[in-house]
Amino acid sequence: MKQATIFSLLNLCTLALTVALPALVDRDASPSPLVPVEPSSPSNPACWTSLSCSFQQIEASSMTSRLSYVRYMQSDHFGPLKASNKFRAIEGVIEFFLSKGLGAPGTWVSYVDAGIVEAIQRGGAIALGKSTETGGNPGTEKWADYLMRVRNGELQSRDDHDPVWSRAEQTATEYGKLRAETTPGVSAPSTQTKRWYQFTQLFRAIMRNRSTIVWTIRVTFWLVNPALAAGAEAFIDWLTDVTSDTPALLGGQIAWTLSALDVPFGHDLLKDSKLLLAVLPALFEVYQKNK
């Protein structure tokens, strides 16, 4: 194969790994310790029990409360749906917000996150037969469909599972974003927050196109570095594992660091391919330390 063709394939591959570049900026970043939140308590809001909290109720709550609620839904409600750990990645994102002091009620981040939590809750209620209420959130029906398919034993492979999970989260995220942008008094997000949001978009894009990305990595790196090919595939699996909070928390912190440096990712990724290839060994070292 000609060198130009190999390099072209490498360019495609690096698009899948862009999310890990911030590790070079903050190699030793570690998750901020958080006090464990009890999944259930006598002081829980009544709407937690019925999975019926409104968007406004969720948005008005603190990130600590939302973290408790997401954990509570999984531990106390989603067992029959075989989904008691399917939203750990959402936990990781909320843990990231807590580590950076982001997401106070009334902010853009709070609104976007509330759209996600509301849709998970209402989707779960529908899947469990507790309610038919969508709350007007289009992510609700997608999460309900996802949860019912998981309950029925579908979506067993990552290629089947990840696109469905990602589309549901994408839809709920866009709803929360729309609410933020159309509600008077909600300030526009900071430039750093906008850049960070673009990294979350890339995360979801990787989930939706996992099979293509993994195939590209496998074909490309087996030709030039078989060991790296195997490591790259494992990295993608780790990065997009929704049953763990660690990748989302660590990835969020790394992306936040890079977003503050005005590195022009998310606009013309092909221009950055040479840089990504040069730092790939260090990137995998960070992954190995934190997987």
Side-chain angles (χ1 to χ4, degrees), residues 233-260:
E233 294 172 36
F235 171 76
I236 292 297
D237 284 345
W238 174 83
L239 179 70
T240 56
D241 181 8
V242 300
T243 66
S244 172
D245 62 338
T246 301
L249 172 55
L250 182 61
Q253 292 177 326
I254 290 171
W256 185 252
T257 299
L258 184 62
S259 297

Side-chain angles (χ1 to χ4, degrees), residues 64-97:
T64 300
S65 177
R66 294 183 211 186
L67 179 59
S68 296
Y69 190 29
V70 172
R71 290 176 175 174
Y72 166 77
M73 284 190 281
Q74 292 174 97
S75 65
D76 286 35
H77 288 281
F78 291 172
L81 300 174
K82 302 177 183 178
S84 59
N85 65 349
K86 296 298 187 182
F87 298 100
R88 298 291 323 278
I90 303 300
E91 292 180 40
V93 173
I94 297 176
E95 290 166 359
F96 159 73
F97 290 148

Side-chain angles (χ1 to χ4, degrees), residues 12-226:
L12 292 174
C13 169
T14 56
L15 299 183
L17 301 174
T18 301
V19 289
L21 183 61
L24 301 173
V25 178
D26 192 8
R27 304 174 55 104
D28 298 320
S30 57
S32 300
L34 297 172
V35 177
V37 182
E38 292 297 326
S40 59
S41 162
S43 62
N44 287 340
C47 63
W48 284 23
T49 303
S50 56
L51 297 177
S52 62
C53 299
S54 68
F55 179 94
Q56 291 81 0
Q57 286 175 300
I58 296 170
E59 196 285 315
S61 66
S62 68
M63 283 294 165
T64 300
S65 177
R66 294 183 211 186
L67 179 59
S68 296
Y69 190 29
V70 172
R71 290 176 175 174
Y72 166 77
M73 284 190 281
Q74 292 174 97
S75 65
D76 286 35
H77 288 281
F78 291 172
L81 300 174
K82 302 177 183 178
S84 59
N85 65 349
K86 296 298 187 182
F87 298 100
R88 298 291 323 278
I90 303 300
E91 292 180 40
V93 173
I94 297 176
E95 290 166 359
F96 159 73
F97 290 148
L98 285 168
S99 75
K100 298 300 180 183
L102 298 170
T107 63
W108 187 88
V109 168
S110 176
Y111 270 74
V112 175
D113 180 75
I116 298 170
V117 175
E118 181 200 25
I120 292 170
Q121 165 210 252
R122 293 192 185 280
I126 291 173
L128 289 165
K130 291 178 175 287
S131 172
T132 59
E133 177 60 55
T134 67
N137 188 328
T140 295
E141 291 183 349
K142 289 188 178 296
W143 278 128
D145 175 70
Y146 164 80
L147 288 166
M148 287 187 283
R149 293 177 70 180
V150 169
R151 178 197 61 197
N152 294 339
E154 301 177 42
L155 309 180
Q156 292 293 316
S157 73
R158 293 289 296 270
D159 285 343
D160 290 336
H161 172 277
D162 288 6
V164 179
W165 193 101
S166 173
R167 291 188 185 101
E169 196 209 13
Q170 182 73 56
T171 303
T173 299
E174 291 176 354
Y175 174 74
K177 183 172 178 285
L178 178 64
R179 291 289 297 260
E181 294 172 347
T182 57
T183 300
V186 178
S187 299
S190 67
T191 299
Q192 185 176 7
T193 300
K194 289 180 181 178
R195 293 191 189 117
W196 182 86
Y197 178 76
Q198 290 304 313
F199 280 102
T200 71
Q201 296 285 74
L202 181 57
F203 171 81
R204 286 184 284 270
I206 290 173
M207 290 189 73
R208 288 194 296 273
N209 299 282
R210 179 184 176 279
S211 60
T212 300
I213 290 171
V214 169
W215 178 85
T216 303
I217 293 171
R218 183 183 297 120
V219 170
T220 301
F221 284 109
W222 277 125
L223 296 174
V224 295
N225 190 329

